Amino acid sequence: MKAAQNALLEALVDTGIMLSSERSIDALLERTVDAARELFGAEGASLYLAEEGSLNFKIFRNPALEEKIGPDGVRETYRMRPIAICPGSIAGYAAHSAAPLVVADVYDIPAEAPYRFNTSFDELSGYRTRNVAAQPLVTRGGGVVGVLQLVNVKDVRALSGPLLRALGAFGAQAAIAVENTLLTDKLKRSQYETITRLAAAAELKDPDTGDHIRRISDYSRRIAIAAGLSSDDAEVVYYASPLHDVGKIAIPDDILLKPGKLTDDEWLVMKTHTTAGAEILKNPESALVAAAHNIALCHHERYDGKGYPGGVKGDDIPLLSRIVSVADVFDALTSRRPYKEPFPLETAVEMIVSGAEKGQFDPDVVNAFVREFAAT
Ligand SMILES: [Fe+2]
């Protein structure tokens, strides 16, 4: 018994470390339900997050059910409406009371109990739920951020005493991880807003700038993922790419806004938006600003070394800059401008490919771009 308890304790500590290192909320929820199923010997587990006074279903894992009705069947069965945080349902009861609820036989709930088991899942899927354990995810501040629900725990009678306390500890760990990840998400969103507003300030006179900035972010991230970059790098390029033209803030209006063709001298000034951007972003203290610096400086460099401002060549151009230069040109091609209609997607993709053939872009980046965009 002691050995089993120690093993569980160890597993709990390991899970806590694993959960606290997960930064994406979707991945975190997935890992939470997987770990819960494993630790407590449950056939299935699902997770709800408390949002605006209700529990919203987020994720469900039950290999036995998935095998029986397939992934489409699971999606269909679990197209659920939010559950009220009140004692009428098992998950609602756990969230409302901020205490775990173990129901050993969901088809034999005493009439006086305030909660009921929703039999529609079993009816829809043909699955037989025997027992359910609902553990609220309670933060250190006492707030309930969600509910973890275990289904068909192998030895449900054992889910009391130390094991139930272990489930509580697991819920607390998951709650902290969820709370932190949601906070980080919020922080990231506000950071992105700051970045895009700063970027928009540089191109304030162009009414399409906001959309352009968001598209550059989106395209750059998609190319990065298609090129096999890590999700961290893809995120960095998503956040840093909006600042590629931030140096335009230093370009005089009569050049930046000139409707006609620029003279050679004006063009020389226009090109300095790259070095001006790098000046704004120099001496970075974060990886994000370091990437933004490189992107601002190098997004008009060409793979064959014939670009500006440095004439840097090949892989000496930072990879994220090579990605943003494809995204930037692709967006220019597919956007309406006062002097041109947008090119159709297929034509724009062909033009990017031919740009790579002529030495403008990194061929590997363009291959990734084609895989991502030619199919859509
Ligand atoms: Fe530019």
Side-chain angles (χ1 to χ4, degrees), residues 75-95:
R75 260 195 299 280
E76 192 58 30
T77 311
Y78 273 82
R79 268 204 318 203
M80 297 188 5
R81 269 169 293 178
I83 297 174
I85 299 183
C86 66
S89 66
I90 295 175
Y93 184 93

Side-chain angles (χ1 to χ4, degrees), residues 208 212 215 219 328-338 340-343:
D208 294 331
H212 165 67
R215 286 194 302 265
Y219 296 163
D328 190 24
V329 173
F330 178 62
D331 187 55
L333 292 172
T334 50
S335 299
R336 189 180 307 279
R337 292 287 153 88
K340 77 165 203 24
E341 288 297 303
F343 286 103

